[in-house]
Amino acid sequence: MDPLVAAIDQGTSSTRFLVFNAKTAELISHHQVEINQSFPKEGWVEEDPREIMQSVHECIERTCEKLCKLNIDVSNIKAVGVTNQRETTLVWDKDTGEPLYNAIVWLDLRTQSTVERLINKAPGRNKNHLRHKTGLPISTYFSAVKLRWLLDNVDEVHEAFLSQRAMFGTVDSWIIWCLTGGKNGGVHCTDVSNASRTMLFNIHTMDWDPELCRYFDIPMEILPSVRSSSEIYGWMKSGSLAGVPISGCLGDQSAALVGQMCFNEGQAKNTYGTGCFLLRNTGTKPVISDHGLLTTVAYKLGKDEPACYALEGSVAIAGAVVRWLKDNMGMVQSSSEIEKLAAAAGTSYGCYFVPAFSGLYAPYWEPSARGIICGLTQFTNRNHLAFAALEAVCFQTREILDAMNQDSGVPLTQLKVDGGMTSNRLLMQLQADILCIPVVRPTMSETTALGVAMAAGAAEGVGVWSLSPGQLPHVTSERYEPQINSEESEYRFARWKKAVQKAMNWETTEPCYNGSGHSQ
């Protein structure tokens, strides 16, 4: 039996556990559990850290049961990797092992007033004031402001910090700490890709930055240690996989870059999940964008390996728009139904949907934007709206692709794609039409999990997966070629940009009104 490597893929809307053959990269078995999101106030998004861990354990055990039914011995699993929704912020008590508050999800907007305050005090009111160190604009998206909010507004967090019981981590840190023993000797660490999304990490020195920590007034002693993306961090303490090393850790978008085998400078991929994330490998040098993209650490595949960087275009709402049409509007019963509705219309009939539910991310970085649907007539029906929602995902990708082409000066000739939404064939065709370049989707779309399995299997001390170019597995894929003329594509894109302008500068934080229209 070939050695197996497993991956925990903890995303915004679900947790998955997947087991791969380390020689062929074939997916052997997996299990998935949905995660509840709570929205306690407008713009707030939270998840329960206990539920996250419960879902991880459930996915591991169910998958192991499935392997047994396939007559596969779980002792063939030689390593586990962890990949995760990035920036989502947790604080827990190291003595009790309990979370001190819900996880504040990356999409959350409660820190908008903090962000405005920080930008106002920056020289020239420049949101890029810290970009030279972090590669990031000051935004609600990243962990530092969320952690600051927790320390300022949650008594339990503040008290735990004062009595030196508080631990901060992103989702990867929480999972690894819990799986390696929790309050009984759990390992408190993160990897460079996740650390680079906190705004506390210097992407040049590759470590926490004392000056950044002072800027946000974050105590350095609550931060996890920063490790490479491929090394043994610790061992599973309990369950069916007790004793197996945890040896890979990558933020989900970095993991997808690895899983798509984008190891060379200039290679890029776009992942369609809750949000949409286009990453382009820029090699061992960080490239600072002039067009609203982020500079991020892509991966560091071993203690002594160089770090590789990426330019990233981040879109907050992609698959989340389908979830909204389903859960909030009751327009569809299941996410797959949206393709049928959109196909029935075949066009948005002049209707444009800008889903700026959490403001706009790249390339605008405009937290005051809000969602808007425009171009409605008496003719518009829910099919047109479904089509407009799918088009919105494609237009947003086009905006970040244009920015990336301008930054690099070398236009992409095709786009590699992955993520849950890529099973929607209409979306993939629309994407090719709107970008005017082919879209290439691997047949096995779980590239995020594959990427971290590769990192885990290649770690020193595990060594069951080779990342040398000659030994990478061959991946089959399908191609979508553009089918409309570029003039029509440009016209639609110009209308989209007009709609985006109408979504801007909607929500300013002062003065604050409550829902009944009375000033607070």
Side-chain angles (χ1 to χ4, degrees):
M1 178 75 196
D2 287 339
L4 306 177
V5 177
I8 295 162
D9 181 355
Q10 206 298 300
T12 315
S13 56
S14 72
T15 301
R16 298 199 269 296
F17 186 72
L18 306 94
V19 177
F20 296 94
N21 179 317
K23 294 286 173 272
T24 63
E26 180 196 355
L27 176 58
I28 305 295
S29 187
H30 66 103
H31 191 76
Q32 176 169 351
V33 172
E34 291 243 328
I35 293 286
N36 291 303
Q37 294 172 353
S38 58
F39 308 97
K41 293 186 185 176
E42 190 193 353
W44 292 30
V45 190
E46 296 179 2
E47 291 179 353
D48 179 351
R50 290 182 197 86
E51 185 191 343
I52 289 174
M53 277 320 297
Q54 230 172 322
S55 71
V56 168
H57 290 302
E58 184 179 341
C59 286
I60 292 173
E61 296 308 322
R62 291 294 90 80
T63 306
C64 288
E65 287 168 13
K66 290 178 184 179
L67 288 173
C68 289
K69 284 188 180 144
L70 295 168
N71 287 326
I72 294 169
D73 191 337
V74 295
S75 69
N76 288 312
I77 297 175
K78 301 304 179 193
V80 174
V82 176
T83 181
N84 56 290
Q85 50 170 321
R86 303 168 306 167
E87 301 96 12
T88 295
T89 303
L90 299 92
V91 180
W92 64 93
D93 184 319
K94 67 176 172 205
D95 293 344
T96 65
E98 291 295 316
L100 294 163
Y101 192 77
N102 275 343
I104 300 183
V105 176
W106 56 278
L107 284 164
D108 185 279
L109 290 179
R110 77 189 65 191
T111 55
Q112 191 176 331
S113 54
T114 312
V115 166
E116 285 175 16
R117 196 170 67 243
L118 290 169
I119 292 171
N120 287 337
K121 78 171 190 187
R125 296 192 166 184
N126 180 7
K127 63 175 165 250
N128 292 315
H129 171 53
L130 305 173
R131 182 172 278 215
H132 63 290
K133 282 190 168 191
T134 62
L136 313 170
I138 299 170
S139 159
T140 57
Y141 181 22
F142 309 108
S143 313
V145 281
K146 301 181 197 295
L147 178 52
R148 187 66 256 151
W149 187 92
L150 287 165
L151 286 161
D152 288 340
N153 294 284
V154 181
D155 291 343
E156 290 82 353
V157 172
H158 186 66
E159 285 160 17
F161 163 61
L162 291 178
S163 55
Q164 300 184 328
R165 289 178 290 114
M167 283 185 154
F168 154 76
T170 41
V171 172
D172 54 308
S173 301
W174 168 241
I175 291 174
I176 292 172
W177 187 78
C178 291
L179 291 179
T180 54
K183 63 183 178 183
N184 302 313
V187 178
H188 190 213
C189 69
T190 186
D191 92 298
V192 292
S193 69
N194 279 296
S196 76
R197 312 297 292 191
T198 58
M199 289 206 95
L200 302 171
F201 184 79
N202 184 318
I203 60 172
H204 307 286
T205 65
M206 297 298 284
D207 210 346
W208 302 123
D209 189 290
E211 193 184 310
L212 290 170
C213 290
R214 273 197 299 278
Y215 183 87
F216 291 103
D217 195 19
I218 300 294
M220 292 186 79
E221 58 274 18
I222 73 173
L223 304 178
S225 64
V226 182
R227 313 273 284 270
S228 79
S229 315
S230 176
E231 60 177 271
I232 295 176
Y233 313 108
W235 288 264
M236 300 278 287
K237 272 287 184 291
S238 62
S240 299
L241 299 182
V244 176
I246 300 174
S247 53
C249 179
L250 285 162
D252 52 8
Q253 303 314 320
S254 286
L257 195 70
V258 172
Q260 287 268 30
M261 325 274 171
C262 296
F263 292 122
N264 300 325
E265 195 176 328
Q267 290 183 312
K269 66 87 205 170
N270 194 30
T271 300
Y272 299 76
T274 297
C276 219
F277 302 89
L278 178 58
L279 272 73
R280 182 176 187 140
N281 188 328
T282 62
T284 52
K285 290 190 191 63
V287 175
I288 301 293
S289 168
D290 296 323
H291 299 92
L293 302 180
L294 310 176
T295 305
T296 201
V297 179
Y299 52 78
K300 178 177 158 69
L301 294 175
K303 280 183 200 176
D304 305 319
E305 294 297 315
C308 282
Y309 296 87
L311 273 177
E312 171 173 322
S314 329
V315 168
I317 304 290
V321 73
V322 180
R323 197 165 174 164
W324 181 82
L325 288 172
K326 176 167 77 77
D327 296 348
N328 296 34
M329 294 292 138
M331 259 179 56
V332 289
Q333 258 56 65
S334 70
S335 297
S336 53
E337 216 181 306
I338 191 133
E339 187 173 1
K340 291 193 196 82
L341 287 188
T347 169
S348 67
Y349 211 82
C351 167
Y352 288 81
F353 185 169
V354 183
F357 301 157
S358 293
L360 285 166
Y361 284 13
Y364 302 102
W365 298 104
E366 187 48 77
S368 65
R370 286 296 177 272
I372 186 172
I373 300 172
C374 47
L376 297 172
T377 66
Q378 281 174 309
F379 184 73
T380 314
N381 62 34
R382 67 182 191 148
N383 297 358
H384 301 126
L385 204 54
F387 196 96
L390 295 183
E391 265 190 329
V393 175
C394 300
F395 287 134
Q396 291 182 104
T397 298
R398 163 86 192 255
E399 290 193 294
I400 51 183
L401 187 76
D402 285 357
M404 205 157 271
N405 287 341
Q406 286 171 305
D407 272 327
S408 70
V410 186
L412 277 181
T413 53
Q414 60 171 35
L415 183 64
K416 289 182 169 189
V417 300
D418 56 74
M421 284 189 96
T422 59
S423 60
N424 185 325
R425 290 190 134 83
L426 175 62
L427 178 73
M428 294 296 94
Q429 186 56 53
L430 266 178
Q431 188 67 86
D433 290 345
I434 287 167
L435 296 180
C436 307
I437 58 172
V439 166
V440 182
R441 171 188 180 265
T443 319
M444 201 290 294
S445 63
E446 296 285 0
T447 48
T448 301
L450 175 62
V452 83
M454 289 163 65
E460 192 181 332
V462 178
V464 297
W465 203 308
S466 170
L467 300 184
S468 64
Q471 298 194 284
L472 290 174
H474 175 69
V475 177
T476 57
S477 53
E478 50 184 337
R479 271 171 86 87
Y480 293 84
E481 301 283 345
Q483 288 179 351
I484 63 172
N485 64 42
S486 57
E487 287 78 32
E488 186 192 339
S489 187
E490 292 305 322
Y491 171 75
R492 278 156 61 179
F493 186 51
R495 293 290 294 262
W496 159 263
K497 284 186 145 168
K498 192 171 160 187
V500 168
Q501 290 309 314
K502 295 192 183 303
M504 297 279 203
N505 302 313
W506 182 262
E507 193 64 53
T508 45
T509 50
E510 310 294 327
C512 185
Y513 288 91
N514 63 24
S516 57
H518 302 297
S519 187
Q520 309 252 68

